[in-house]
Amino acid sequence: MQTNYKGTVFFDLDGTLLNAKSEIDPDVAEATRQLKENGYLPVINTGRSPIEIDPVLNSTDIDTYITLDGAYVQSAGKVVYENNIKPELIEKLLKQADEFGDTVSVHTASESYLNAANPFVEDFYKSVHLDLPEIDPDFYKGHNVPMIVIVTAGDGSNYQAKFDDLTFYKTGPSSVDTVNKGVSKMSGIKHLLKELDLEDKPVYAFGDGNNDLPMLEFADYSVAMGNGLDSVKAIASYVTTENVNGGIVNGLKHYKLI
């Protein structure tokens, strides 16, 4: 496993590395390849699961990723870190979601299952360009589950008030990512840097949403997308253009990485 990089560059996916169709534009794919040729390690850092990012991996030279909001980290085919939610806690959360009238999908590194489905849930998956998972409310029993997604119109605060051992990230109009307390895109970065002996090299990060805040706060050089939230732009070292308007390429060029 190569470790002699000049630094690491972390990319969120939705609203950042991906375009409006959840695809990689050719200039962005070329930029990630050039980045690696210039001696920097490009890393995907996303709330999505590994099975949801295959198209990105196939169109770039990226082989290192932090997924499920920091709960699952892999580099060059090796699992670096995994943090799973206890089954009894998942059971409690499922019951609470039912009381709130929400739907839940549980995620392993390779599979995703819903506890139920309805038109609201179907519309959510269409909006993020993903196939609707199969339904199995008992899937979490006997499987490692690093992350749960609550499909809801709420912001997750009603769950956070009831679950001290979990962290809830509002990641879209209809989704709240759920991981163990202390797990974040930042914690995933720390585990990866330690594994690759890159803790003393500069860290760059690109993001646009709430779950990117820990990552951007940790980075030496943080880039907010032009389409990002105001809270993200407020803490960033640099605000680039929108993800559909050359934002990745412009941000990399700003720091002379490509």
Side-chain angles (χ1 to χ4, degrees), residues 163-222:
F163 292 89
D164 292 336
D165 295 333
L166 297 173
T167 297
F168 299 85
Y169 296 108
K170 179 69 172 177
T171 53
S174 305
S175 59
V176 173
D177 290 358
T178 308
V179 291
N180 277 323
K181 184 177 181 179
V183 173
S184 68
K185 290 188 174 185
M186 177 182 70
S187 68
I189 289 175
K190 289 181 177 180
H191 286 289
L192 180 66
L193 295 180
K194 183 176 181 180
E195 173 71 19
L196 300 185
D197 194 24
L198 291 170
E199 293 173 295
D200 61 342
K201 302 293 179 66
V203 172
Y204 302 80
F206 288 68
D208 72 307
N210 282 320
N211 63 340
D212 295 319
L213 290 171
M215 169 178 71
L216 296 173
E217 289 172 342
F218 175 80
D220 299 301
Y221 306 96
S222 55

Side-chain angles (χ1 to χ4, degrees), residues 94-180:
L94 286 169
K95 291 179 179 178
Q96 187 62 69
D98 186 57
E99 289 182 20
F100 285 150
D102 295 326
T103 303
V104 168
S105 64
V106 296
H107 293 261
T108 71
S110 60
E111 297 177 279
S112 299
Y113 282 86
L114 284 164
N115 70 328
N118 55 48
F120 182 78
V121 173
E122 292 170 1
D123 288 343
F124 162 68
Y125 276 91
K126 287 179 182 177
S127 73
V128 293
H129 308 286
L130 293 174
D131 293 333
L132 188 73
E134 293 184 18
I135 298 173
D136 184 354
D138 295 323
F139 173 75
Y140 70 94
K141 299 176 181 178
H143 291 84
N144 290 330
V145 177
M147 190 181 80
I148 293 166
V149 175
I150 304 170
V151 185
T152 176
D155 63 2
S157 58
N158 52 340
Y159 289 92
Q160 193 66 78
K162 293 179 176 293
F163 292 89
D164 292 336
D165 295 333
L166 297 173
T167 297
F168 299 85
Y169 296 108
K170 179 69 172 177
T171 53
S174 305
S175 59
V176 173
D177 290 358
T178 308
V179 291
N180 277 323

Side-chain angles (χ1 to χ4, degrees), residues 14 18-24 48 52 55-56 127-130:
D14 296 283
L18 300 180
N19 62 23
K21 296 181 180 179
S22 296
E23 298 172 345
I24 292 280
R48 291 188 181 233
E52 296 171 354
V56 179
S127 73
V128 293
H129 308 286
L130 293 174

Side-chain angles (χ1 to χ4, degrees), residues 15 207-208 223-229 233 239-243 247:
D208 72 307
V223 181
M225 307 304 292
N227 51 285
L229 300 177
K233 295 176 181 178
V239 178
T240 186
T241 51
E242 295 84 359
N243 63 317

Side-chain angles (χ1 to χ4, degrees), residues 1-16:
M1 186 183 297
Q2 183 180 348
T3 59
N4 59 334
Y5 292 102
K6 296 177 184 177
T8 48
V9 186
F10 296 89
F11 299 100
D12 171 52
L13 283 185
D14 296 283
T16 303

